[in-house]
Amino acid sequence: MKRKSLKKQMAAVLAGTMMLSLTACGGSSDSEAASKTGKDTADKGAKEEYNIGEIGTTTSDEVPTITFYPKDANLTSGMVDGFKGEYFAKRGFNVEVWAYSEEKTNAIMASGELPDIMVIPTDNLDAMIQSGMLLNLDDYLDQMPHVQSFEGLDVALNYVRKFRSNDTGSVYCMPLNVGGKTSRYQLDDSTDRRGVKLQWEAYEKAGCPEIKDMDGLLDAAQAMMEAMPQADDGNGMYGTVLNSGSDEDYWACMNGWYQYQGYEVTELPYLLEANMAEGTVSPILTKDSKYYEGLKWYNKAYKRGLIDPESISNDRATQKPKVDNGYAMVPSGFLPGWATNYMPYLIPGTKIYFNYENTYGLYDYVIGVNAKTENLEACLNFIDMMSDPDAYLWLRSGPAGEIWDVDENGVATFTEKGMNFAKEKKSGDMTGYKLDSGEELTLWNTPWIVNEGGVPTTYTDENGEKRPGITTAWKEMQELVANDEVHTSWKEVSGYESWADWLKAENALVEESDLTNVELFESMPDDVMRLTIDSISDKVTTASWKMVYAETDEEFDKLWDQMVSDCEGLGAQELIEWKLADIENAKKVRDSLEK
């Protein structure tokens, strides 16, 4: 429920700031006030031409420090030091990350005292623009070379002007994760989080049982736990691991169940489920819904002792190590597990939806600059860097000369020590690599404007082909994976060379849907409807957890019936009808834009 109190807080902030804004503007409209605020701010700085996007030779003591507020708690707070800090300084800034928490977010919004740069939930974007919190970036875009050279970003920026500007037509934020996805290069994780993943060592020890349906997946998980009750480090194993900390506008544990089967959670706040594979949307409050089926499945898992008993008290931070260390037989929720601990398995009759291109960026988050920043040039350098795939490579895979290196012709190759580390780790993931300085390589875990390493860099391989922005996607890593003993075992069981081959053979991959990108064009609920959504979400989330832990079918059904009744009493049908009509309109708007 992290974003609910934030939205309520924003309503209060907006009420106060807009009174001041209307007074100052002589009663002008919200859009006019926002436009004037942004224009005034822009005009003050537009007189100066900045030198943005060039690598300098300054030291960290000579450059300004900017503050950054991240999307979630996955980014370590404090001053960024080590090789990342050195690289930032060469780009013209130091970075101090503010610690993320719901309370901190509320405090920022209530006070209006933003950091220099902030990752912003799109639900709150209009209110922030109206209240003059965000800098109008229009006058600075042409000064940022990597923003200008990023092919495809202009389409995303046009989308921002039309749908993420509070009707001002200006750029008050930058989209995140724009462009191609790294998954397209992968052998085993080529659909990222979508699809069932199995703890492969346990699956082998269980004799690689054939899985014919979703109940058969539970049978397999049971057999896997019996075959491997403990990990090598002595930790107990779980059928699956859930967490309650990711619950926001819906019960987040449904994410894994949906994505096993071609669905997405994008419409769950409105009591609807999006069948991306079929391009359809339907209500969840019926017993023939995938939602009901998913709750039944998790309840069966609970009755069989397959759910981590700490699930209800887990948050993402406590769930993640259990999954990453291979303690879950079948990962679920938002943590899917990655090769080679976990390998994909296609349940017969299921479809996997995965779109390999983010044309417009994330639908739920953007990034913006504080209109009152005193370090504008440094902020522009930061935004420009976040649009640079070369910079992503340096920050994600370490500086040149360590894991990889580049010659005077721009040809990038693995170093011997980098390749040896990958072979020893049996993975393309370079996290934990020890730099010559003694520093260990860690993930700077925040979304960039350029998408997750899938956008090509300016570097090439020996054949002149552009290198992706992360070394795990380089062809040498895929060759290493192809010869790995886990992948070899997986090939023998599946009968295919890669996950993509298996999906293609079964015609099970859906890359485009009638619902692709539609959530980006949907309307935001008004304040009254927002309260309805929050109230319904509380009922659904609480009841869903209770149904997972129901001891009998009778108890489960009673809880379900009560949840449906509660939702209907809160206006569920009106909400569903509004959103269904909104989705149809969003399709028309999307289609008109993409013609």
Side-chain angles (χ1 to χ4, degrees), residues 284-295:
I284 68 169
L285 298 180
T286 62
K287 290 188 177 181
D288 62 352
S289 68
K290 190 63 69 173
Y291 195 92
Y292 179 86
E293 185 183 325
L295 287 175

Side-chain angles (χ1 to χ4, degrees), residues 65-70 75-81 85 88 94-100 444:
T65 295
I66 57 176
T67 51
F68 175 62
Y69 191 67
L75 195 62
T76 303
S77 61
M79 288 295 297
V80 179
D81 55 14
F88 288 159
N94 298 311
V95 176
E96 179 187 356
V97 178
W98 285 5
Y100 175 89
W444 204 62

Side-chain angles (χ1 to χ4, degrees), residues 14 104 397:
L14 182 57
K104 180 68 172 179
S397 298

